[in-house]
Amino acid sequence: MTINEIIKTTGSSFYVFDTAELKKRIAFLRASLPPRVRLCYAVKANTFIVKELLNEVDRFEICSPGESRICGRLGVMPEKTVISGLYKDPRNIEELAGGNGERVYTAESASQLVLLSSLAKKYGKHIKVLLRITNDSQFGMDEADALAALTDENFALLDFCGLQFFSGTQKTSIKKVRRELTMMHTVFCKARDIYGEKMRTLEYGTGFPVVYFADEAFDESDFLSQFSQLLSELDDIPEITLEIGRSIAASCGSYYTRIEDIKRNKGLNYAITNGGMHQMVYFGQQMAMRTPVFEVYGKENEPPANKYNICGALCSMNDIILKNASLPAVKPGDVICFHNTGAYCPTEGISLFLSRELPAVYLWDGQNAVCVRKAFETSPLNTPGEII
């Protein structure tokens, strides 16, 4: 099925994830980073491309029971997973710890260490643990608490194989990255002095930025070159894993939404689409204030005709996708395609608001689109008394 055929046969919004572009992106990152660096894909960014990444990344970060079930169904081997998350559901963690395969677990608190230790004792096995260092937020634990765990006899069955750190997202400052890596290198050296050579891994959530807007100027190649030099200086850390979600997934995604109505209020033109902010959260707090990369499908080469405020279908004054966007001559039925929507758009939206259906999802290999999720009716999820 082609994109044109999808548009002709569906009236709903939909996502298309380009698997060739996804693999091209991985290849670019590999070529831009030191060869010894491993890539860990954050599943929360986009669950629909996990299968396409089975042979492309070294590890998958899982942060919920739902994500662990998805990865299990798609054939992700346990030894390629790191079980993370601010809250670790004890039942899910026991199911994973008691099963087959050698997973790695992050520990965000003393209580998570106690949980993992109790499961290690129950099943008579060692469990690999990355101690997560806080970024001055609710995530992770203080350096002192993490280092103290290394000599705690109650955790004798926990193999502390490394440290984990993540400070945020959309980081364009190489100075900030340098400070973070310097800090983590210092903590890592302290941990290794206490624990010995089994302390091998630094897992770093890079927060690599993604260019979403047409007016952004960001030299990614230069940024990655400087970042790679910083990593090369950490030659006394045996294993470095970069936990990445947005930077891997964003560029492979496109979101298509149809114009359903056009009107003029108080001298302003409005185009109303059947999608909206609940399905394009990648704009973050800058929704409508800046111009993303987009086009009107089939009219890419037509000159601008009018400016429009493009608004979604939600009953909310916040559902403004674009303000004063220059569009060619458009009419109801035309489709707008927004690019770089591969990360978080299908997983982070306020999907139950107004009980709108979830968009269909397609995987595109450059020649053919395959539907991997039909448009999903959400009203039963919001209906009391119905058991789904």
Side-chain angles (χ1 to χ4, degrees), residues 9 43 47 73 102 120 126 196 208 219 231 286 289 299 343 387:
T9 57
V43 173
T47 56
R73 290 171 188 151
E102 192 175 62
H126 285 256
F208 281 161
D219 189 338
L231 293 185
Q286 301 185 74
M289 294 190 294
K299 298 185 176 182
I387 300 176

Side-chain angles (χ1 to χ4, degrees), residues 277-278 314-316 350-356 378 382:
M277 67 176 185
H278 56 315
L314 300 183
C315 293
S316 168
I350 46 177
S351 56
L352 296 186
F353 189 38
L354 292 191
S355 295
R356 294 282 186 185
T378 64
N382 281 350

